[in-house]
């Protein structure tokens, strides 16, 4: 997918232009300064007209962030980031970036040679989700709870998402939103809506590149400015939370990238099925293909494939089509699976953020109808030992225990065929 051209128009909007737009729009009685006001706009064209949000504009103007939609690097005078980066050096394995810098945008690894033994557990190569580097937890690829779909969407916030989020609210359905830092900068009030609606927010990097192609510092900065800076200064500015989970764009992750994520307190979440909704219109992928992928998952859920452990499918908050597909198949998914829950709920991550004053329901709470536990002290549930952590990397969850590990290990291959369209990796004999 040509992300650069897709996003070019957005990235080109300067704050000066946004300010002009705001002035024009203020005549039209829409409140585009608060989450609630923004959530009430129903015309997609109006939703997607840029607005001015002072905290983000000020932070951008003060050069506190890398430019949006470009590969993040540590800003030259950002001593906090430099110190943090230095502090995790010993945790980063000596693995070289994959492919050439050009692969960061295209994912073309055709001139890259890589040993067939997959020494780095490179997902793009063979859908590996169990790290080979000691000390790293396995990726979450399926969910442990039977007949359960880990329900989530990549690439948001999309400017036109109100119809979709309204739909989710009407169905009292929560999901995990994997947000791109640059999109949050563009659409901060839309990011705020996710939290207000009780969804779970995870990180989907700063600029949506193939992360295994990036240098250590770039990988760090893609996380750091999304997690620490973005979250403490942007999502935190906007939403006030610091996520503890991330999903690699295109699934492109290996042990080097996992190690940097882990050092920053981020769990890696992947998937087992790709709806290919994001490819519709590219590489001959049609609406019928995407429908078929949804239907395939639904028929498997109906025939008992997930009777002992649930699964995750890759779906997107990318555009009108991907959100419309999610709505079109919602009722069927609900009927085929017993439960559709956010990833954090599926794994009893009752404290999904570093901040201790925001909680998700446990799986049992959620399926008994308590779908939101926002603010206040975390609600303790029997067996849910995870709500006492402070957000540091230890003691937070038991979802990486031996039982879960065995479960995750048995998954991970199904999505491979679809995911590898367009890739070819040379093997060292
Ligand atoms: C870094 O430098 C830029 C440009 O010189 C300046 O605007 C910004 O305030 C500085 N940031 C910090 C954190 O010192
Ligand atoms: C799309 O389909 C056409 C006609 O079948 C074919 O020639 C072309 O190679 C296909 N393109 C891709 C990217 O698969
Ligand atoms: C469900 O259907 C799939 C696809 O046809 C098949 O591979 C699988 O064995 C079936 N599972 C069960 C439990 O029947
Ligand atoms: C968000 O969705 C709208 C409607 O489909 C689309 O026009 C727009 O390009 C999307 N935005 C991004 C950043 O992909
Ligand atoms: C898709 O676009 C149509 C036309 O603008 C709009 O009515 C509909 O609500 C949109 N659907 C979603 C899910 O955004
Ligand atoms: C949590 O605490 C922070 C300040 O530490 C505050 O900004 C935020 O609004 C609180 N969130 C909730 C949901 O109470
Ligand atoms: C979540 O908590 C419930 C209640 O304690 C427990 O039965 C279930 O096994 C837990 N699930 C996971 C995946 O940890
Ligand atoms: C966490 O999981 C391990 C391995 O399954 C188990 O031995 C341990 O008792 C669990 N800890 C808690 C607090 O549930």
């Amino acid at each position: 997918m040509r992300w650069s051209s897709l996003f070019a128009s957005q990235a080109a909007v300067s704050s000066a232009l946004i300010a002009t737009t705001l002035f024009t729009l203020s005549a039209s009685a829409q409140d585009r300064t608060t989450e609630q006001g923004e959530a009430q706009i129903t015309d997609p064209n109006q939703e997607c007209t840029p607005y001015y949000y002072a905290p983000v504009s000020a932070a951008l103007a003060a050069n506190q962030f890398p430019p949006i939609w470009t590969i993040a690097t540590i800003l030259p005078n950002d001593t906090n980031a430099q110190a943090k980066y230095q502090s995790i050096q010993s945790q980063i394995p000596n693995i070289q970036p994959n492919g050439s810098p050009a692969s960061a945008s295209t994912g073309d690894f055709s001139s890259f040679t890589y040993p067939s033994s997959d020494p780095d557990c490179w997902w793009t190569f063979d859908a590996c989700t169990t790290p080979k580097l000691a000390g790293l937890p396995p990726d979450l690829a399926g969910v442990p709870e039977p007949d359960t779909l880990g329900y989530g969407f990549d690439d948001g916030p999309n400017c036109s998402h109100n119809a979709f989020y309204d739909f989710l609210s009407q169905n009292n359905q929560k999901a995990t939103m994997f947000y791109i830092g640059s999109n949050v900068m563009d659409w901060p009030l839309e990011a705020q809506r996710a939290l207000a609606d009780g969804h779970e927010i995870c990180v989907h990097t700063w600029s949506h590149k193939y992360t295994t192609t990036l240098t250590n510092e770039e990988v760090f900065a893609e996380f750091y400015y999304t997690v620490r800076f973005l979250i403490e200064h942007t999502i935190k500015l906007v939403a006030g939370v610091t996520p503890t989970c991330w999903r690699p764009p295109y699934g492109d992750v290996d042990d080097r990238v996992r190690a940097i994520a882990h050092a920053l307190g981020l769990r890696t979440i992947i998937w087992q099925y790709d709806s290919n909704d994001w490819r519709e219109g590219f590489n001959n992928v049609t609406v019928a293909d995407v429908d078929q992928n949804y239907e395939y998952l639904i028929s498997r859920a109906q025939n008992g494939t997930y009777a002992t452990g649930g699964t995750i499918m890759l779906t997107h908050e990318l555009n009108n089509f991907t959100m419309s597909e999610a709505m079109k198949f919602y009722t069927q998914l609900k009927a085929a699976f017993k439960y559709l829950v956010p990833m954090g709920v599926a794994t009893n991550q009752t404290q999904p953020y570093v901040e201790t004053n925001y909680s998700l329901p446990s799986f049992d709470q959620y399926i008994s109808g308590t779908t939101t536990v926002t603010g206040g002290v975390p609600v303790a549930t029997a067996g849910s030992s995870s709500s006492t952590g402070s957000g540091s990397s230890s003691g937070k969850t038991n979802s990486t225990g031996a039982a879960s590990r065995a479960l995750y290990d048995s998954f991970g291959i199904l999505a491979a065929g679809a995911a590898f369209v367009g890739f070819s990796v040379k093997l060292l004999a």
Side-chain angles (χ1 to χ4, degrees), residues 296 299-307 414:
Y296 179 77
S299 70
R300 290 191 145 232
Q302 285 164 341
N303 83 354
T305 300
Y306 312 112
L414 295 164

Side-chain angles (χ1 to χ4, degrees), residues 1 123 250 271-294 313-316 318-319 321-322 325 414-423:
M1 169 160 296
W123 189 89
Y250 315 98
W271 60 83
Q272 290 166 344
Y273 296 91
D274 188 345
S275 70
N276 265 325
D277 60 352
W278 63 286
R279 285 184 203 272
E280 193 272 326
F282 298 89
N283 296 324
N284 293 346
V285 174
T286 63
V287 174
D289 292 333
V290 179
D291 284 355
Q292 237 173 47
N293 291 334
Y294 267 97
M313 180 164 76
L314 177 64
T315 48
H316 289 80
L318 177 62
N319 54 39
F321 171 72
T322 64
E325 285 289 284
L414 295 164
F420 292 160
V421 173
F423 291 132

Side-chain angles (χ1 to χ4, degrees), residues 347-415:
T347 52
N348 287 330
Q349 295 279 340
T350 52
Q351 194 193 315
Y353 306 114
V354 168
E355 292 72 22
T356 53
N357 61 352
Y358 189 102
S359 304
L360 277 182
S362 67
F363 182 76
D364 281 355
Q365 285 177 312
Y366 190 99
I367 66 175
S368 344
T370 304
T371 58
T372 314
V373 187
T374 302
V377 289
V379 177
T381 324
S384 145
S385 58
S386 58
S387 57
T388 52
S390 66
S392 64
S393 54
S394 64
K396 214 164 30 176
T397 162
N398 218 16
S399 64
T400 55
S404 305
R405 181 184 294 260
L407 180 67
Y408 302 149
D409 283 354
S410 67
F411 290 116
I413 302 304
L414 295 164

Side-chain angles (χ1 to χ4, degrees), residues 44 160 163-164 320 323-324 327:
S160 75
F164 180 46
N320 187 285
M323 292 186 275
S324 298
M327 287 164 62

Side-chain angles (χ1 to χ4, degrees), residues 68-415:
I68 58 175
W69 300 118
T70 64
I71 296 171
T73 54
I74 298 178
L75 298 174
N77 55 358
D78 189 341
T79 51
N80 287 339
Q82 279 151 9
K84 183 69 187 172
Y85 183 53
Q86 285 314 312
S87 77
I88 66 164
Q89 286 305 310
S90 65
Q91 296 172 64
I92 306 177
N94 184 15
I95 296 172
Q96 295 309 303
N98 293 340
S100 64
S103 322
S105 295
T106 62
D108 179 0
F109 296 106
S110 55
S111 57
F112 179 60
T113 52
Y114 183 69
S116 58
S117 60
D118 187 23
D120 309 327
C121 185
W122 182 21
W123 189 89
T124 304
F125 180 65
D126 63 357
C128 179
T129 57
T130 304
K132 293 177 177 165
L133 187 70
L136 292 178
D139 303 343
L140 186 71
V143 298
E145 298 291 347
D147 295 312
T148 300
L149 180 65
Y151 198 56
F153 297 89
D154 283 19
D155 295 356
N158 174 276
C159 50
S160 75
H161 76 184
N162 280 344
F164 180 46
Y165 280 37
D166 286 348
F167 175 86
L168 293 175
S169 291
Q170 281 149 19
N171 287 283
N172 194 20
Q173 177 64 55
K174 313 303 176 195
T176 301
M177 305 303 182
F178 296 91
Y179 277 171
I180 301 173
S182 295
N183 264 341
V184 175
M185 299 292 278
D186 276 336
W187 308 105
L189 297 172
E190 280 65 20
Q192 237 174 36
R193 177 167 184 181
L195 206 69
D197 285 5
H199 300 304
E200 177 187 26
I201 297 178
C202 295
V203 163
H204 198 43
T205 74
W206 181 257
S207 68
H208 203 278
K209 299 296 190 287
Y210 286 80
T211 57
T212 71
T213 67
L214 306 179
T215 65
N216 290 347
E217 186 196 314
E218 288 166 344
V219 173
F220 169 85
E222 285 275 324
F223 290 137
Y224 183 85
Y225 287 106
T226 311
V227 179
R228 292 282 170 256
F229 231 78
L230 165 95
I231 306 311
E232 282 171 11
H233 293 266
T234 308
I235 284 191
K236 189 153 181 170
L237 266 174
V238 242
V241 296
T242 307
T244 57
C245 42
W246 83 292
R247 176 175 273 171
Y250 315 98
D252 191 47
V253 66
D254 66 1
D255 284 350
R256 181 176 65 97
V257 173
R258 284 186 187 93
I260 298 171
H262 185 64
L264 293 175
L266 295 172
R267 285 170 287 123
T268 301
I269 301 179
I270 204 108
W271 60 83
Q272 290 166 344
Y273 296 91
D274 188 345
S275 70
N276 265 325
D277 60 352
W278 63 286
R279 285 184 203 272
E280 193 272 326
F282 298 89
N283 296 324
N284 293 346
V285 174
T286 63
V287 174
D289 292 333
V290 179
D291 284 355
Q292 237 173 47
N293 291 334
Y294 267 97
E295 282 154 8
Y296 179 77
L297 181 71
I298 287 163
S299 70
R300 290 191 145 232
Q302 285 164 341
N303 83 354
T305 300
Y306 312 112
T308 57
T311 191
I312 298 173
M313 180 164 76
L314 177 64
T315 48
H316 289 80
E317 178 188 335
L318 177 62
N319 54 39
N320 187 285
F321 171 72
T322 64
M323 292 186 275
S324 298
E325 285 289 284
M327 287 164 62
K328 180 164 109 187
F329 284 103
Y330 179 73
T331 307
Q332 288 180 65
L333 282 174
K334 271 287 263 196
F337 284 90
K338 278 198 187 125
Y339 311 112
L340 263 54
V341 303
M343 313 301 167
V345 170
T347 52
N348 287 330
Q349 295 279 340
T350 52
Q351 194 193 315
Y353 306 114
V354 168
E355 292 72 22
T356 53
N357 61 352
Y358 189 102
S359 304
L360 277 182
S362 67
F363 182 76
D364 281 355
Q365 285 177 312
Y366 190 99
I367 66 175
S368 344
T370 304
T371 58
T372 314
V373 187
T374 302
V377 289
V379 177
T381 324
S384 145
S385 58
S386 58
S387 57
T388 52
S390 66
S392 64
S393 54
S394 64
K396 214 164 30 176
T397 162
N398 218 16
S399 64
T400 55
S404 305
R405 181 184 294 260
L407 180 67
Y408 302 149
D409 283 354
S410 67
F411 290 116
I413 302 304
L414 295 164

